[in-house]
Amino acid sequence: MTGKTILIGQVLSFHGSPFEGEAAAAVRLDGAIRVEAGRIVAVGGADRLKADAPDARVIDHGNRVIMAGFVDAHVHYPQTAIIASWGKRLIDWLNTYTFPEETRFGDADYAREIAARYLDLTAAHGVTTMCSYCTIHPASVEAFFSAAQARGQRVVAGKTCMDRNAPEELRDTAQSAYDDSKALLTRWHGVDRLGYAITPRFAPTSSPEQLSALGALWAEHPDCLMQTHLSEQVDEIEWVRGLYPEARDYLDIYETHGLLGARGIYGHSIHLEPRERDRLAETGAALAHCPTSNTFIGSGLFDMAGLIAQGQRVGLASDTGGGSSFSMLRTMAAAYEVAQLRGHALHPAQLLWLATVGSARALHLDHLIGNAVAGNEADLVVLDLASTPAIAQRAERAGDIWEALFATIMMGDDRAIADVWIGGKQCGAVSRA
Ligand code: GUN
Ligand code: ZN
């Protein structure tokens, strides 16, 4: 047993952003990837890779597509059990479904059960890294990081902080949010493949004192990420205006409290003012586009074309459980449809880039994950482009690989995920090789 594995198939890699030119994405027929000690050590032609490592184990995926595992830039793993809850708008949905469910995560056993369930479900959908909100309970963070660590998985997560406008059992304070977040990031940030994101939920559920405390914590630990929500629904924005009347706009609240920076990830970012867009672009902050959530909760249509043209750092996200699926294929399909409603057709290469490199860039992890290139960590997904009869008959008519991939993006689900590798290890539960 050499520990070397060669995966053969059609290999998809990016050499740049497909928003900047068509040559940025390449799919190599009879391609191969060699995996060793958790890394991608070579990408190239199947014959050459086999000749270079004759002792390697070979898994031949035929004409399936092998690419980087999907990266989900914004999720709430504690909302796994309430995904697809009917009929509410954001604040009502939070109060009716989300907050009652999140109160259960003070129970460490329940937190462990849902963390395991969430990571099983997402692995089955080919999602190998995600950036998750936890609940206010440190136990919910411990449960998530422990589960990811045991799986050798690269994840980012943080304790959600709220000290007002939430049920009593879900409130911390400015001081306890600072203390608990600091203890958790000291314990977990940079351990194995784990990263910490300081996590004020959003401006309405934090007092100015809490936002300041978390801004101070970020200044003390600038290598951590920071995640929050921004300008998701118009009624939310109205509420925020009333709570922070002195602020120029929503983003200004975060900036005033030390919570605007390049390592910040701003979920949704739909109804942005021109000033907010300019500040985000100047800062190099990341926007997490959550299209299934934005249609499901009725939030609005993200301006992908305009924001990309402005040079914004954009990642793609399911927003589980405001989003209606764990699948990044379903999320890409929704991103396509939302862009269409704004008069713009995203190319399949752009959708796949957003779900991998784009999200990895949003998390400042693109030097490690999100692309099937030599040197990166071996987080991989293998796509079956004929996973259902409906998709198979469409793929048969495809004029090129992008048309075939587009059918799977628009109609595929976990049945299209033939194999998943996390940190150089095959996920046994998923493999349909
Ligand atoms: N804004 C504040 N919290 C949340 C949440 O849990 N989900 C969504 N979609 N928006 C939020
Ligand atoms: Zn969210």
Side-chain angles (χ1 to χ4, degrees):
M1 188 66 201
T2 62
K4 293 178 201 164
T5 306
I6 295 175
L7 302 178
I8 294 177
Q10 305 198 65
V11 174
L12 167 59
S13 308
F14 294 100
H15 309 291
S17 164
F19 286 97
E20 283 158 21
E22 278 183 18
V27 180
R28 181 177 187 135
L29 261 178
D30 297 318
I33 294 180
R34 191 170 116 212
V35 172
E36 198 176 329
R39 297 257 168 192
I40 296 170
V41 294
V43 178
D47 289 343
R48 180 173 68 76
L49 263 62
K50 279 194 287 189
D52 287 350
D55 55 339
R57 170 187 173 214
V58 175
I59 302 175
D60 191 343
H61 279 288
N63 65 358
R64 290 172 175 168
V65 168
I66 309 174
M67 59 178 290
F70 298 126
V71 181
D72 191 336
H74 176 126
V75 313
H76 301 254
Y77 96 80
Q79 296 171 15
T80 295
I82 56 127
I83 193 168
S85 290
W86 181 81
K88 303 281 179 186
R89 289 183 60 80
L90 176 61
I91 305 307
D92 216 12
W93 175 85
L94 285 172
N95 287 322
T96 308
Y97 301 119
T98 308
F99 289 159
E101 176 64 11
E102 291 192 9
T103 59
R104 302 182 63 178
F105 284 72
D107 173 353
D109 286 339
Y110 187 67
R112 280 192 285 269
E113 178 190 332
I114 300 296
R117 187 189 301 172
Y118 171 79
L119 290 174
D120 284 347
L121 284 166
T122 46
H125 285 90
V127 182
T128 49
T129 287
M130 67 288 298
C131 184
S132 187
Y133 290 63
C134 300
T135 66
I136 70 145
H137 313 95
S140 72
V141 185
E142 298 283 344
F144 190 69
F145 278 138
S146 300
Q149 186 180 40
R151 292 162 194 244
Q153 193 161 357
R154 182 168 287 290
V155 303
V156 180
K159 175 198 125 71
T160 294
C161 301
M162 299 196 274
D163 67 348
R164 62 171 174 172
N165 293 318
E168 176 65 37
E169 322 84 277
L170 277 187
R171 274 187 249 155
D172 48 19
T173 65
Q175 189 63 48
S176 73
Y178 174 94
D179 292 343
D180 288 348
S181 302
K182 190 175 179 72
L184 287 162
L185 74 84
T186 304
R187 161 79 182 88
W188 292 104
H189 185 65
V191 173
D192 294 337
R193 302 183 75 201
L194 313 174
Y196 196 86
I198 294 164
T199 308
R201 182 175 214 121
F202 65 156
T205 47
S206 287
S207 64
E209 295 71 34
Q210 180 169 82
L211 294 180
S212 290
L214 295 173
L217 183 62
W218 198 18
E220 290 161 29
H221 299 276
D223 53 325
C224 286
L225 293 160
M226 191 290 302
Q227 59 181 346
T228 190
H229 296 83
L230 176 66
S231 294
E232 180 176 358
Q233 266 193 6
V234 287
D235 16 6
E236 168 210 9
I237 297 167
E238 274 310 302
W239 189 29
V240 167
R241 272 209 191 97
L243 290 169
Y244 289 89
E246 68 293 345
R248 282 179 290 184
D249 47 46
Y250 201 154
L251 185 68
D252 190 40
I253 299 165
Y254 295 134
E255 182 159 15
T256 305
H257 295 91
L259 294 168
L260 177 63
R263 294 176 77 82
I265 304 147
Y266 300 84
H268 303 277
S269 296
I270 301 170
H271 308 283
L272 298 174
E273 303 289 339
R275 194 203 77 86
E276 293 176 294
R277 295 167 68 117
D278 291 347
R279 280 302 290 141
L280 287 162
E282 277 162 26
T283 310
L287 316 181
H289 175 34
C290 309
T292 69
S293 171
N294 297 343
T295 53
F296 183 75
I297 311 185
S299 301
L301 306 177
F302 185 82
D303 178 18
M304 179 67 78
L307 291 162
I308 291 276
Q310 210 186 348
Q312 305 273 5
R313 188 187 286 264
V314 179
L316 192 62
S318 68
D319 191 30
T320 297
S324 53
S325 176
F326 298 96
S327 167
M328 291 305 280
L329 293 171
R330 308 304 334 118
T331 306
M332 283 181 257
Y336 179 80
E337 290 166 349
V338 167
Q340 280 283 55
L341 287 167
R342 297 201 62 131
H344 190 81
L346 291 170
H347 189 274
Q350 294 173 334
L351 293 164
L352 290 161
W353 182 89
L354 285 166
T356 52
V357 182
S359 288
R361 280 183 76 236
L363 306 182
H364 293 259
L365 294 173
D366 49 313
H367 57 300
L368 296 171
I369 58 166
N371 201 2
V373 292
N376 272 13
E377 296 171 349
D379 292 344
L380 299 168
V381 63
V382 181
L383 297 179
D384 176 358
L385 301 186
S387 61
T388 69
I391 297 173
Q393 61 90 38
R394 178 63 187 88
E396 246 172 52
R397 288 282 195 92
D400 63 19
I401 183 66
W402 299 113
E403 266 191 46
L405 276 163
F406 190 61
T408 285
I409 289 171
M410 292 310 298
M411 297 196 287
D413 53 30
D414 51 332
R415 289 168 292 181
I417 309 301
D419 197 7
V420 177
W421 288 66
I422 292 180
K425 293 206 179 76
Q426 194 172 22
C427 287
V430 176
S431 175
R432 301 185 182 106

